[in-house]
Amino acid sequence: DSGVTQTPKHLITATGQRVTLRCSPRSGDLSVYWYQQSLDQGLQFLIQYYNGEERAKGNILERFSAQQFPDLHSELNLSSLELGDSALYFCASNQRGGGNEQFFGPGTRLTVL
Amino acid sequence: GQSLEQPSEVTAVEGAIVQINCTYQTSGFYGLSWYQQHDGGAPTFLSYNALDGLEETGRFSSFLSRSDSYGYLLLQELQMKDSASYFCAVRGSTLGRLYFGRGTQLTVWP
């Protein structure tokens, strides 16, 4: 158990819908990362937050957005969902945001029908 | 841009030694890491090299050669529970984001 929690574990929805994935980092960790893992793309970095502020952005679609709240939990919002958005979404955290060791949550498996 | 290459699959028998190679091309380099992921599970950190040479952690060792943009993960005394995907990852800047390879599926046979 990494100490990172993610909800929900599974999410099944329809194309065109909007969903919110939630992540709570390990106690004391200020930095949160979101990754998307699909079969053909591997682990793709989406976005990083550090202490409430966006720090780095990857290939995150405009339909996706994220934020980190004052209590350091983070939410990833996915809208106008498409079939291709079906994937595992992982949240990871670490203390300072610059280290190589990241602690991953159990993931949210999103299925878009 | 950033790219990492690693073999897609490796197989070995219990008790054997296996080496998973990773070559990378990045515009900046702040370390090479290795992560293990069991089917459908969360990736877990195994090791990290910032400088050239070998880092040993129990049955696992990781090597880096920055001049060759190359590293490997060495797994010794393989056990069935080592069957998993192994990812190399590069941190290309002082920011925390990691660039991951596509992963190597290791299958350990009895």
Side-chain angles (χ1 to χ4, degrees), chain B residues 45-64:
Chain B
F45 175 82
L46 291 177
S47 70
Y48 158 65
N49 296 70
L51 302 175
D52 292 351
L54 193 68
E55 293 284 339
E56 297 181 71
T57 312
R59 294 188 296 114
F60 294 0
S61 304
S62 58
F63 171 83
L64 175 66

Side-chain angles (χ1 to χ4, degrees), chain A residues 8-12 37 87-89 106-111, chain B residues 39-41:
Chain A
K9 274 195 132 135
H10 301 275
L11 201 46
I12 301 174
Q37 186 175 36
L88 259 174
Y89 291 84
T108 293
R109 182 172 292 282
L110 173 66
T111 303
Chain B
D39 207 27

Side-chain angles (χ1 to χ4, degrees), chain A residues 5-69:
Chain A
T5 60
Q6 288 186 250
T7 56
K9 274 195 132 135
H10 301 275
L11 201 46
I12 301 174
T13 188
T15 54
Q17 295 299 304
R18 174 190 168 94
V19 297
T20 297
L21 313 184
R22 184 188 166 104
C23 167
S24 292
R26 291 187 322 157
S27 177
D29 284 357
L30 299 177
S31 198
V32 167
Y33 309 80
W34 285 98
Y35 292 89
Q36 179 191 56
Q37 186 175 36
S38 51
L39 280 174
D40 58 344
Q41 292 290 328
L43 268 165
Q44 298 288 313
F45 170 77
L46 295 177
I47 197 162
Q48 176 195 2
Y49 280 85
Y50 179 80
N51 204 19
E53 300 206 357
E54 182 184 302
R55 201 168 199 196
K57 221 168 183 175
N59 296 327
I60 187 167
L61 299 170
E62 282 191 20
R63 301 183 286 109
F64 296 1
S65 65
Q67 54 185 321
Q68 187 179 28
F69 294 87

Side-chain angles (χ1 to χ4, degrees), chain B residues 3 7-8 10 15 30 35 45 47 50 56 59 62 65 76-77 83 86 93 97 99 102 108:
Chain B
S3 71
S8 57
V10 173
Y30 286 79
Y35 283 78
F45 175 82
S47 70
E56 297 181 71
R59 294 188 296 114
S62 58
S65 168
Q76 303 181 75
E77 300 171 22
S83 293
Y86 292 83
S93 73
R97 67 167 298 178
Y99 296 91
R102 287 183 175 265
V108 181

Side-chain angles (χ1 to χ4, degrees), chain B residues 17-43:
Chain B
I17 299 172
V18 74
Q19 179 174 312
I20 299 174
N21 299 319
C22 174
T23 56
Y24 59 87
Q25 273 189 305
T26 61
S27 51
F29 182 80
Y30 286 79
L32 180 71
S33 305
W34 290 91
Y35 283 78
Q36 178 192 60
Q37 184 182 30
H38 285 97
D39 207 27

Side-chain angles (χ1 to χ4, degrees), chain B residues 76-109:
Chain B
Q76 303 181 75
E77 300 171 22
L78 282 172
Q79 302 174 9
M80 298 287 289
K81 67 178 181 180
D82 298 328
S83 293
S85 289
Y86 292 83
F87 294 86
C88 58
V90 164
R91 186 160 68 94
S93 73
T94 55
L95 300 177
R97 67 167 298 178
L98 296 176
Y99 296 91
F100 282 86
R102 287 183 175 265
T104 299
Q105 177 67 49
L106 170 64
T107 303
V108 181
W109 298 99

